[in-house]
Amino acid sequence: QVQLAESGGGLVQTGGSLRLSCAASGRTFSRIAMGWFRQAPGEEREFVGRISWSSSTTSYAYYADSVKGRFTISRDNAKNTVYLQMNSLKPEDTAVYYCALDNQVFRNSDYKLPRVYDYWGQGTQVTVAS
């Protein structure tokens, strides 16, 4: 019904920047939320950030403490695409990054849990060299 595709990963030096894209295809709705997660080898999937909106003019973004001030989530409604701009990258940011779609806009702290998201992309590798 809905397919998500991440792109933009790669190799970058410490302090560099990358912009990840998540393109949605298939049936989508105007009131949704999109989350970004990451998973390093041997680690559990970790919440990175989330953007939600109920109109084309109003949106809300939330970030994990580990990336706050360095990462920014944005959206392009016309292209059905969500972006994750990553600046001041550190080696500990190395992971496979996933985007996910949540059909429920309003949530409590559950928005940090992978299980509440309905659709997932295949992931894109981000490697930060020291």
Side-chain angles (χ1 to χ4, degrees):
Q1 186 176 22
V2 176
Q3 293 180 321
L4 305 176
E6 303 96 336
S7 63
L11 175 65
V12 66
Q13 300 296 314
T14 297
S17 299
L18 283 173
R19 188 182 73 164
L20 306 184
S21 299
C22 177
S25 61
R27 185 175 182 180
T28 59
F29 302 93
S30 61
R31 298 178 179 179
I32 61 170
M34 296 290 294
W36 284 97
F37 292 78
R38 65 188 183 186
Q39 188 166 20
E43 303 291 334
E44 295 185 358
R45 193 161 296 187
E46 175 189 20
F47 170 78
V48 174
R50 172 183 169 103
I51 185 169
S52 61
W53 61 93
S54 58
S55 72
S56 62
T57 59
T58 303
S59 64
Y60 302 90
Y62 308 89
Y63 302 94
D65 289 342
S66 60
V67 306
K68 192 175 298 182
R70 299 188 297 120
F71 291 11
T72 303
I73 300 175
S74 61
R75 61 185 172 95
D76 186 335
N77 289 342
K79 298 180 179 180
N80 292 318
T81 300
V82 174
Y83 303 96
L84 180 66
Q85 178 67 47
M86 305 184 295
N87 299 326
S88 301
L89 284 163
K90 306 174 181 179
E92 51 263 45
D93 294 318
T94 296
V96 176
Y97 283 71
Y98 300 88
C99 66
L101 185 151
D102 181 8
N103 286 310
Q104 184 173 320
V105 174
F106 302 103
R107 291 190 180 275
N108 51 30
S109 58
D110 287 348
Y111 71 85
K112 300 178 181 179
L113 302 177
R115 62 177 172 83
V116 309
Y117 292 82
D118 302 295
Y119 302 97
W120 291 83
Q122 294 300 305
T124 185
Q125 176 71 46
V126 172
T127 302
V128 184
S130 60

